[in-house]
Coordinates of all heavy atoms in Angstrom, one line a residue:
V1 N -20.7 15.0 -2.5 CA -19.6 14.9 -3.5 C -18.5 16.0 -3.1 O -18.8 17.1 -2.9 CB -20.1 15.2 -4.9 CG1 -19.0 15.3 -5.9 CG2 -21.2 14.2 -5.3
N2 N -17.3 15.5 -3.1 CA -16.2 16.4 -2.8 C -15.2 16.6 -3.9 O -14.3 17.3 -3.8 CB -15.5 16.0 -1.5 CG -14.8 14.7 -1.6 OD1 -15.0 14.0 -2.5 ND2 -14.0 14.4 -0.6
Q3 N -15.4 15.9 -5.1 CA -14.5 16.0 -6.2 C -15.2 15.5 -7.5 O -15.8 14.4 -7.4 CB -13.2 15.3 -5.9 CG -12.1 15.4 -6.9 CD -10.9 14.6 -6.5 OE1 -11.0 13.6 -5.9 NE2 -9.8 15.1 -7.0
V4 N -15.0 16.2 -8.6 CA -15.5 15.7 -9.9 C -14.4 15.9 -10.9 O -13.5 16.8 -10.7 CB -16.8 16.4 -10.3 CG1 -17.9 16.1 -9.4 CG2 -16.6 17.9 -10.4
G5 N -14.4 15.1 -11.9 CA -13.4 15.2 -13.0 C -13.6 14.1 -14.0 O -14.7 13.6 -14.2
F6 N -12.5 13.8 -14.7 CA -12.5 12.8 -15.8 C -11.4 11.8 -15.6 O -10.3 12.1 -15.2 CB -12.4 13.5 -17.1 CG -13.4 14.4 -17.4 CD1 -13.3 15.8 -17.1 CD2 -14.6 14.0 -18.0 CE1 -14.3 16.7 -17.4 CE2 -15.6 14.9 -18.3 CZ -15.5 16.3 -18.0
C7 N -11.7 10.5 -15.9 CA -10.7 9.4 -15.9 C -10.5 9.1 -17.4 O -11.4 9.2 -18.2 CB -11.3 8.2 -15.2 SG -11.6 8.4 -13.5
Y8 N -9.3 8.7 -17.7 CA -9.0 8.4 -19.1 C -7.9 7.4 -19.2 O -7.0 7.3 -18.4 CB -8.7 9.6 -20.0 CG -7.5 10.4 -19.6 CD1 -6.3 10.3 -20.2 CD2 -7.6 11.3 -18.5 CE1 -5.2 11.1 -19.9 CE2 -6.5 12.1 -18.1 CZ -5.3 12.0 -18.8 OH -4.3 12.7 -18.4
S9 N -8.0 6.6 -20.3 CA -7.0 5.5 -20.5 C -6.9 5.2 -22.0 O -7.9 5.3 -22.7 CB -7.4 4.3 -19.8 OG -6.5 3.2 -20.1
K10 N -5.8 4.7 -22.5 CA -5.7 4.3 -23.9 C -5.8 2.7 -23.9 O -6.0 2.2 -25.0 CB -4.4 4.7 -24.6 CG -3.2 4.3 -23.9 CD -2.0 4.9 -24.7 CE -0.7 4.4 -24.0 NZ 0.5 5.0 -24.6
D11 N -5.8 2.1 -22.8 CA -5.8 0.6 -22.7 C -7.1 0.1 -22.1 O -7.6 -0.9 -22.5 CB -4.7 0.1 -21.9 CG -3.3 0.5 -22.5 OD1 -3.2 0.4 -23.7 OD2 -2.5 1.0 -21.7
N12 N -7.6 0.8 -21.1 CA -8.8 0.3 -20.3 C -10.1 1.0 -20.9 O -10.2 2.2 -20.8 CB -8.6 0.7 -18.8 CG -9.7 0.2 -18.0 OD1 -10.7 -0.5 -18.4 ND2 -9.6 0.4 -16.7
E13 N -11.0 0.1 -21.4 CA -12.2 0.7 -22.0 C -13.2 1.3 -20.9 O -14.1 1.9 -21.3 CB -13.0 -0.4 -22.7 CG -12.2 -0.9 -24.0 CD -13.0 -1.9 -24.8 OE1 -14.2 -2.0 -24.7 OE2 -12.3 -2.6 -25.6
Y14 N -12.9 1.0 -19.6 CA -13.7 1.6 -18.5 C -12.7 2.2 -17.5 O -12.4 1.6 -16.5 CB -14.6 0.5 -17.9 CG -15.6 0.0 -18.8 CD1 -15.4 -1.2 -19.6 CD2 -16.8 0.6 -19.0 CE1 -16.3 -1.7 -20.5 CE2 -17.7 0.2 -19.9 CZ -17.5 -1.0 -20.6 OH -18.4 -1.5 -21.5
P15 N -12.2 3.4 -17.8 CA -11.1 4.0 -17.0 C -11.6 4.1 -15.5 O -12.8 4.4 -15.3 CB -10.9 5.3 -17.6 CG -11.6 5.3 -18.9 CD -12.6 4.2 -18.9
Q16 N -10.7 3.9 -14.6 CA -11.0 3.9 -13.2 C -10.1 5.0 -12.5 O -9.0 5.3 -12.9 CB -10.6 2.6 -12.5 CG -11.3 1.4 -13.1 CD -12.8 1.4 -12.7 OE1 -13.1 1.6 -11.5 NE2 -13.7 1.2 -13.7
F17 N -10.7 5.7 -11.5 CA -10.0 6.7 -10.8 C -8.7 6.2 -10.2 O -7.6 6.9 -10.3 CB -10.9 7.3 -9.7 CG -10.3 8.4 -8.9 CD1 -10.4 9.7 -9.3 CD2 -9.6 8.1 -7.7 CE1 -9.8 10.7 -8.6 CE2 -9.0 9.1 -7.0 CZ -9.1 10.4 -7.4
E18 N -8.7 5.0 -9.6 CA -7.6 4.5 -8.9 C -6.4 4.0 -9.8 O -5.3 4.1 -9.4 CB -8.0 3.4 -7.9 CG -9.0 3.8 -6.9 CD -10.4 3.7 -7.4 OE1 -10.7 3.3 -8.5 OE2 -11.3 4.1 -6.6
S19 N -6.8 3.5 -10.9 CA -5.7 2.8 -11.7 C -5.3 3.5 -13.0 O -4.4 3.1 -13.7 CB -6.2 1.4 -12.0 OG -7.4 1.4 -12.7
D20 N -6.1 4.5 -13.5 CA -5.8 5.1 -14.7 C -5.6 6.6 -14.5 O -5.6 7.1 -13.4 CB -7.0 4.9 -15.7 CG -7.1 3.5 -16.1 OD1 -6.2 2.9 -16.6 OD2 -8.2 2.9 -15.9
F21 N -5.3 7.4 -15.6 CA -5.1 8.8 -15.4 C -6.4 9.5 -15.1 O -7.5 9.0 -15.5 CB -4.6 9.4 -16.7 CG -3.2 8.9 -17.1 CD1 -3.1 8.0 -18.2 CD2 -2.1 9.3 -16.4 CE1 -1.8 7.5 -18.5 CE2 -0.9 8.8 -16.8 CZ -0.7 7.9 -17.8
H22 N -6.3 10.6 -14.3 CA -7.5 11.3 -14.1 C -7.2 12.8 -13.9 O -6.1 13.2 -13.6 CB -8.3 10.8 -12.8 CG -7.5 11.0 -11.5 ND1 -6.7 10.0 -11.1 CD2 -7.5 11.9 -10.6 CE1 -6.2 10.4 -9.9 NE2 -6.6 11.6 -9.6
T23 N -8.2 13.6 -14.1 CA -8.1 15.1 -13.9 C -9.1 15.5 -12.8 O -10.1 14.8 -12.7 CB -8.4 15.9 -15.2 OG1 -9.8 15.7 -15.5 CG2 -7.6 15.5 -16.3
T24 N -8.8 16.5 -12.1 CA -9.8 17.0 -11.2 C -10.3 18.3 -11.8 O -9.5 19.2 -12.0 CB -9.1 17.3 -9.8 OG1 -8.6 16.1 -9.3 CG2 -10.1 17.9 -8.8
A25 N -11.6 18.4 -12.0 CA -12.2 19.5 -12.6 C -12.7 20.5 -11.6 O -12.7 21.7 -11.8 CB -13.3 19.1 -13.5
A26 N -13.2 20.0 -10.5 CA -13.8 21.0 -9.5 C -14.0 20.3 -8.2 O -14.0 19.0 -8.1 CB -15.1 21.5 -10.0
T27 N -14.1 21.1 -7.1 CA -14.5 20.6 -5.8 C -15.8 21.3 -5.5 O -15.8 22.5 -5.1 CB -13.4 21.0 -4.8 OG1 -12.2 20.4 -5.2 CG2 -13.8 20.5 -3.4
P28 N -16.9 20.7 -5.8 CA -18.2 21.3 -5.6 C -18.5 21.7 -4.2 O -18.1 21.0 -3.2 CB -19.2 20.2 -6.1 CG -18.4 19.2 -6.8 CD -17.0 19.3 -6.3
T29 N -19.3 22.7 -4.0 CA -19.7 23.1 -2.7 C -21.2 23.4 -2.8 O -21.8 23.8 -3.8 CB -19.0 24.4 -2.2 OG1 -19.2 25.5 -3.1 CG2 -17.5 24.2 -2.0
G30 N -21.9 23.3 -1.7 CA -23.3 23.6 -1.6 C -24.2 22.6 -2.3 O -23.8 21.4 -2.6
D31 N -25.4 23.0 -2.7 CA -26.4 22.1 -3.3 C -26.1 22.1 -4.8 O -26.2 23.1 -5.5 CB -27.8 22.6 -3.0 CG -28.8 21.7 -3.6 OD1 -28.5 20.5 -3.8 OD2 -30.0 22.2 -3.8
W32 N -25.8 21.0 -5.4 CA -25.5 20.9 -6.8 C -26.1 19.6 -7.4 O -25.5 18.6 -7.5 CB -24.0 21.0 -7.1 CG -23.3 19.8 -6.7 CD1 -23.0 19.4 -5.4 CD2 -22.8 18.7 -7.5 NE1 -22.4 18.2 -5.4 CE2 -22.2 17.8 -6.7 CE3 -22.9 18.5 -8.9 CZ2 -21.7 16.6 -7.2 CZ3 -22.3 17.3 -9.4 CH2 -21.7 16.4 -8.5
H33 N -27.3 19.7 -7.9 CA -28.0 18.5 -8.5 C -27.6 18.5 -10.0 O -27.7 17.4 -10.6 CB -29.5 18.6 -8.3 CG -29.9 18.3 -6.9 ND1 -29.5 19.1 -5.8 CD2 -30.6 17.3 -6.4 CE1 -30.0 18.6 -4.7 NE2 -30.6 17.5 -5.0
W34 N -27.3 19.6 -10.6 CA -26.9 19.6 -12.0 C -25.7 20.5 -12.1 O -25.8 21.7 -12.1 CB -28.1 20.1 -12.8 CG -27.8 20.1 -14.3 CD1 -27.4 21.1 -15.1 CD2 -27.9 18.9 -15.1 NE1 -27.2 20.7 -16.4 CE2 -27.5 19.4 -16.4 CE3 -28.2 17.6 -14.9 CZ2 -27.5 18.5 -17.5 CZ3 -28.1 16.7 -16.0 CH2 -27.8 17.2 -17.3
Y35 N -24.6 19.9 -12.1 CA -23.3 20.7 -12.0 C -22.5 20.5 -13.3 O -22.2 19.3 -13.7 CB -22.5 20.2 -10.8 CG -21.3 21.0 -10.5 CD1 -21.4 22.2 -9.8 CD2 -20.1 20.5 -10.9 CE1 -20.3 22.9 -9.5 CE2 -18.9 21.3 -10.6 CZ -19.1 22.5 -9.9 OH -17.9 23.2 -9.6
E36 N -22.2 21.5 -14.1 CA -21.4 21.4 -15.3 C -20.0 21.7 -14.9 O -19.7 22.6 -14.2 CB -21.9 22.4 -16.3 CG -23.3 22.1 -16.8 CD -23.7 23.1 -17.9 OE1 -22.9 23.7 -18.6 OE2 -24.9 23.2 -18.1
F37 N -19.1 20.9 -15.5 CA -17.7 21.1 -15.3 C -16.9 20.7 -16.5 O -17.4 20.0 -17.4 CB -17.2 20.4 -14.0 CG -17.4 18.9 -14.1 CD1 -16.4 18.1 -14.6 CD2 -18.6 18.3 -13.6 CE1 -16.6 16.7 -14.6 CE2 -18.7 17.0 -13.6 CZ -17.8 16.1 -14.1
S38 N -15.7 21.2 -16.6 CA -14.8 20.9 -17.8 C -13.4 20.8 -17.3 O -13.1 21.3 -16.2 CB -15.0 21.9 -18.9 OG -14.5 23.2 -18.4
S39 N -12.6 20.2 -18.1 CA -11.2 20.0 -17.7 C -10.4 19.8 -19.0 O -10.9 19.2 -19.9 CB -11.0 18.8 -16.8 OG -9.6 18.7 -16.4
Y40 N -9.1 20.2 -19.0 CA -8.2 20.0 -20.1 C -7.5 18.7 -19.9 O -7.0 18.4 -18.8 CB -7.2 21.1 -20.3 CG -7.9 22.4 -20.8 CD1 -8.2 23.4 -20.0 CD2 -8.1 22.5 -22.2 CE1 -8.8 24.6 -20.5 CE2 -8.7 23.7 -22.7 CZ -9.0 24.7 -21.8 OH -9.6 25.8 -22.3
I41 N -7.3 17.9 -20.9 CA -6.5 16.7 -20.9 C -5.4 16.9 -21.9 O -5.7 17.1 -23.1 CB -7.3 15.4 -21.2 CG1 -8.4 15.2 -20.2 CG2 -6.4 14.2 -21.2 CD1 -9.4 14.1 -20.5
D42 N -4.2 16.9 -21.5 CA -3.1 17.2 -22.4 C -2.1 16.0 -22.4 O -2.2 15.1 -21.7 CB -2.4 18.5 -22.2 CG -1.9 18.7 -20.8 OD1 -2.0 17.7 -20.0 OD2 -1.5 19.8 -20.4
N43 N -1.0 16.2 -23.2 CA 0.0 15.2 -23.3 C -0.5 13.8 -23.8 O 0.0 12.8 -23.4 CB 0.8 15.0 -22.0 CG 1.5 16.2 -21.6 OD1 2.1 16.9 -22.4 ND2 1.5 16.5 -20.3
L44 N -1.5 13.9 -24.7 CA -2.0 12.6 -25.3 C -1.2 12.3 -26.5 O -0.6 13.1 -27.2 CB -3.5 12.8 -25.7 CG -4.4 13.2 -24.6 CD1 -5.8 13.4 -25.2 CD2 -4.4 12.2 -23.5
S45 N -1.1 11.0 -26.8 CA -0.3 10.5 -27.9 C -1.1 10.5 -29.2 O -2.3 10.2 -29.2 CB 0.2 9.0 -27.7 OG 0.9 8.9 -26.5
A46 N -0.4 10.9 -30.3 CA -1.0 11.0 -31.6 C -1.3 9.5 -32.1 O -0.7 8.6 -31.7 CB -0.1 11.6 -32.6
H47 N -2.3 9.4 -32.9 CA -2.7 8.1 -33.5 C -3.1 7.1 -32.5 O -2.7 5.9 -32.6 CB -1.6 7.6 -34.5 CG -1.1 8.6 -35.4 ND1 -1.9 9.1 -36.5 CD2 0.0 9.3 -35.5 CE1 -1.2 10.0 -37.1 NE2 0.0 10.2 -36.6
T48 N -3.8 7.6 -31.5 CA -4.2 6.7 -30.3 C -5.6 6.9 -30.0 O -6.1 8.0 -30.0 CB -3.3 7.0 -29.1 OG1 -1.9 6.9 -29.5 CG2 -3.6 6.1 -27.9
K49 N -6.3 5.8 -29.6 CA -7.7 5.9 -29.2 C -7.7 6.0 -27.6 O -7.0 5.2 -27.0 CB -8.5 4.7 -29.6 CG -9.9 4.7 -29.1 CD -10.6 3.4 -29.5 CE -11.8 3.8 -30.4 NZ -12.5 2.6 -30.8
Y50 N -8.4 7.0 -27.1 CA -8.6 7.1 -25.6 C -10.0 6.9 -25.2 O -10.9 7.2 -25.9 CB -8.1 8.5 -25.2 CG -6.6 8.7 -25.2 CD1 -6.0 9.1 -26.3 CD2 -5.9 8.4 -24.1 CE1 -4.6 9.2 -26.4 CE2 -4.5 8.5 -24.1 CZ -3.9 9.0 -25.2 OH -2.5 9.1 -25.2
Y51 N -10.2 6.3 -24.0 CA -11.5 6.2 -23.4 C -11.6 7.1 -22.2 O -10.7 7.2 -21.4 CB -11.6 4.7 -22.9 CG -11.4 3.7 -24.0 CD1 -10.2 3.1 -24.2 CD2 -12.5 3.4 -24.9 CE1 -10.0 2.2 -25.2 CE2 -12.3 2.5 -25.9 CZ -11.1 1.9 -26.1 OH -10.9 1.0 -27.1
I52 N -12.7 7.9 -22.2 CA -12.8 8.9 -21.2 C -14.2 8.8 -20.6 O -15.2 8.6 -21.3 CB -12.7 10.3 -21.9 CG1 -11.4 10.4 -22.6 CG2 -12.8 11.4 -20.9 CD1 -11.3 11.6 -23.6
R53 N -14.3 9.1 -19.3 CA -15.6 9.2 -18.6 C -15.4 10.1 -17.4 O -14.4 10.2 -16.8 CB -16.2 7.8 -18.2 CG -15.4 7.0 -17.2 CD -16.1 5.8 -16.9 NE -15.4 4.8 -16.2 CZ -15.9 3.7 -15.7 NH1 -17.2 3.4 -15.9 NH2 -15.2 2.9 -15.0
S54 N -16.5 10.7 -17.0 CA -16.6 11.6 -15.8 C -16.7 10.7 -14.6 O -17.0 9.6 -14.6 CB -17.7 12.5 -15.9 OG -19.0 11.8 -15.9
Y55 N -16.3 11.4 -13.5 CA -16.4 10.7 -12.2 C -16.9 11.7 -11.1 O -16.6 12.9 -11.3 CB -15.1 10.0 -11.7 CG -14.1 11.0 -11.3 CD1 -14.0 11.4 -9.9 CD2 -13.1 11.4 -12.2 CE1 -13.0 12.3 -9.5 CE2 -12.1 12.3 -11.7 CZ -12.1 12.7 -10.4 OH -11.1 13.6 -10.0
A56 N -17.5 11.2 -10.1 CA -17.8 12.0 -8.9 C -17.3 11.2 -7.7 O -17.7 10.0 -7.5 CB -19.3 12.2 -8.8
R57 N -16.5 11.8 -6.9 CA -15.9 11.1 -5.7 C -16.6 11.7 -4.5 O -16.7 12.9 -4.3 CB -14.4 11.4 -5.6 CG -13.8 10.6 -4.6 CD -12.3 10.8 -4.7 NE -11.6 9.9 -3.7 CZ -10.4 9.8 -3.5 NH1 -9.5 10.6 -4.2 NH2 -9.8 9.1 -2.6
Y58 N -17.2 10.8 -3.7 CA -18.0 11.2 -2.5 C -17.1 11.3 -1.3 O -16.0 10.8 -1.3 CB -19.1 10.2 -2.3 CG -20.1 10.3 -3.4 CD1 -19.9 9.7 -4.6 CD2 -21.3 11.1 -3.2 CE1 -20.9 9.8 -5.6 CE2 -22.2 11.2 -4.2 CZ -22.0 10.5 -5.4 OH -22.9 10.6 -6.4
K59 N -17.6 11.9 -0.3 CA -16.8 12.1 1.0 C -16.5 10.8 1.6 O -15.5 10.6 2.4 CB -17.6 13.0 2.0 CG -17.7 14.4 1.5 CD -18.5 15.3 2.4 CE -18.6 16.7 1.8 NZ -19.5 17.5 2.5
T60 N -17.3 9.7 1.3 CA -17.0 8.4 1.8 C -15.9 7.7 1.0 O -15.7 6.5 1.2 CB -18.3 7.6 1.8 OG1 -18.7 7.5 0.5 CG2 -19.4 8.2 2.7
D61 N -15.4 8.3 0.0 CA -14.4 7.8 -1.0 C -15.0 6.9 -2.0 O -14.3 6.3 -2.8 CB -13.2 7.2 -0.3 CG -12.2 8.2 0.2 OD1 -12.2 9.3 -0.3 OD2 -11.4 7.9 1.1
S62 N -16.3 6.7 -2.0 CA -16.9 5.9 -3.1 C -16.9 6.8 -4.3 O -16.9 8.0 -4.3 CB -18.3 5.5 -2.7 OG -19.2 6.6 -2.6
I63 N -16.9 6.1 -5.5 CA -16.8 6.9 -6.8 C -17.9 6.4 -7.7 O -18.1 5.2 -7.8 CB -15.4 6.7 -7.4 CG1 -14.4 7.2 -6.5 CG2 -15.4 7.3 -8.8 CD1 -12.9 6.9 -7.0
K64 N -18.6 7.3 -8.3 CA -19.6 7.0 -9.3 C -19.1 7.5 -10.7 O -18.5 8.6 -10.7 CB -20.9 7.6 -9.0 CG -21.5 7.2 -7.7 CD -21.9 5.8 -7.7 CE -22.6 5.5 -6.3 NZ -22.8 4.1 -6.1
Y65 N -19.4 6.8 -11.7 CA -18.9 7.1 -13.1 C -20.0 7.4 -14.0 O -21.1 6.9 -14.0 CB -18.0 6.0 -13.6 CG -16.8 5.7 -12.8 CD1 -16.8 4.6 -11.9 CD2 -15.6 6.4 -13.0 CE1 -15.6 4.3 -11.2 CE2 -14.5 6.1 -12.3 CZ -14.5 5.1 -11.4 OH -13.4 4.8 -10.6
G66 N -19.7 8.3 -15.0 CA -20.5 8.6 -16.1 C -20.3 7.6 -17.3 O -19.5 6.6 -17.1
N67 N -21.0 7.8 -18.4 CA -20.8 7.0 -19.6 C -19.4 7.2 -20.2 O -18.9 8.3 -20.1 CB -21.9 7.3 -20.6 CG -23.3 7.0 -20.1 OD1 -23.5 6.1 -19.3 ND2 -24.3 7.7 -20.6
V68 N -18.9 6.1 -20.8 CA -17.6 6.1 -21.5 C -17.8 6.7 -22.9 O -18.8 6.3 -23.6 CB -17.0 4.7 -21.5 CG1 -15.7 4.8 -22.3 CG2 -16.8 4.2 -20.2
I69 N -16.9 7.5 -23.3 CA -16.8 7.9 -24.7 C -15.4 7.6 -25.2 O -14.5 7.5 -24.4 CB -17.1 9.4 -24.9 CG1 -16.0 10.3 -24.2 CG2 -18.5 9.8 -24.5 CD1 -16.1 11.8 -24.7
S70 N -15.2 7.4 -26.5 CA -13.9 7.2 -27.0 C -13.6 8.3 -28.0 O -14.4 8.8 -28.7 CB -13.8 5.8 -27.7 OG -14.7 5.8 -28.8
V71 N -12.3 8.6 -28.0 CA -11.8 9.7 -28.9 C -10.5 9.2 -29.6 O -9.6 8.7 -28.9 CB -11.5 11.0 -28.0 CG1 -10.9 12.1 -28.8 CG2 -12.7 11.4 -27.2
D72 N -10.5 9.4 -30.9 CA -9.3 9.1 -31.6 C -8.5 10.4 -31.8 O -9.0 11.3 -32.4 CB -9.7 8.5 -33.0 CG -10.3 7.1 -32.9 OD1 -9.7 6.3 -32.2 OD2 -11.3 6.9 -33.5
I73 N -7.3 10.4 -31.3 CA -6.4 11.5 -31.5 C -5.6 11.3 -32.8 O -4.9 10.3 -32.9 CB -5.4 11.6 -30.3 CG1 -6.2 11.7 -29.0 CG2 -4.5 12.8 -30.4 CD1 -7.1 12.9 -28.8
N74 N -5.6 12.2 -33.7 CA -4.9 12.1 -35.0 C -3.6 12.9 -34.9 O -3.4 13.7 -34.2 CB -5.8 12.6 -36.1 CG -7.0 11.7 -36.3 OD1 -6.8 10.5 -36.2 ND2 -8.1 12.3 -36.5

């Protein structure tokens, strides 16, 4: 894995790295089987539902995703 972060969208229920917004939380190094990371997502619109999920991008450019959560911004 050479990059981890979060993808998010207000339209796509399954946000994708290539087509939706994303943040880069870290560039892992070494052995990391259980790696915790966080990232700030700002400039979100009020009264909008967002779909968010984590991603891990591999050196081969393949991407694996975590589970989707939804957040209502008030």
Side-chain angles (χ1 to χ4, degrees):
V1 173
N2 65 348
Q3 184 180 29
V4 294
F6 298 94
C7 299
Y8 61 100
S9 174
K10 61 182 178 180
D11 302 314
N12 185 359
E13 292 183 21
Y14 297 95
Q16 302 288 314
F17 180 87
E18 297 87 2
S19 59
D20 296 303
F21 295 108
H22 66 270
T23 66
T24 301
T27 304
T29 58
D31 184 24
W32 70 285
H33 287 62
W34 186 258
Y35 188 79
E36 293 183 22
F37 58 92
S38 63
S39 181
Y40 289 99
I41 299 174
D42 55 8
N43 296 322
L44 301 178
S45 299
H47 311 292
T48 304
K49 179 184 243 180
Y50 285 89
Y51 303 95
I52 305 167
R53 66 178 170 170
S54 61
Y55 74 87
R57 187 173 186 184
Y58 292 81
K59 293 177 184 176
T60 61
D61 280 339
S62 65
I63 298 173
K64 302 292 183 190
Y65 295 99
N67 294 333
V68 176
I69 63 166
S70 63
V71 176
D72 290 310
I73 305 299
N74 293 319

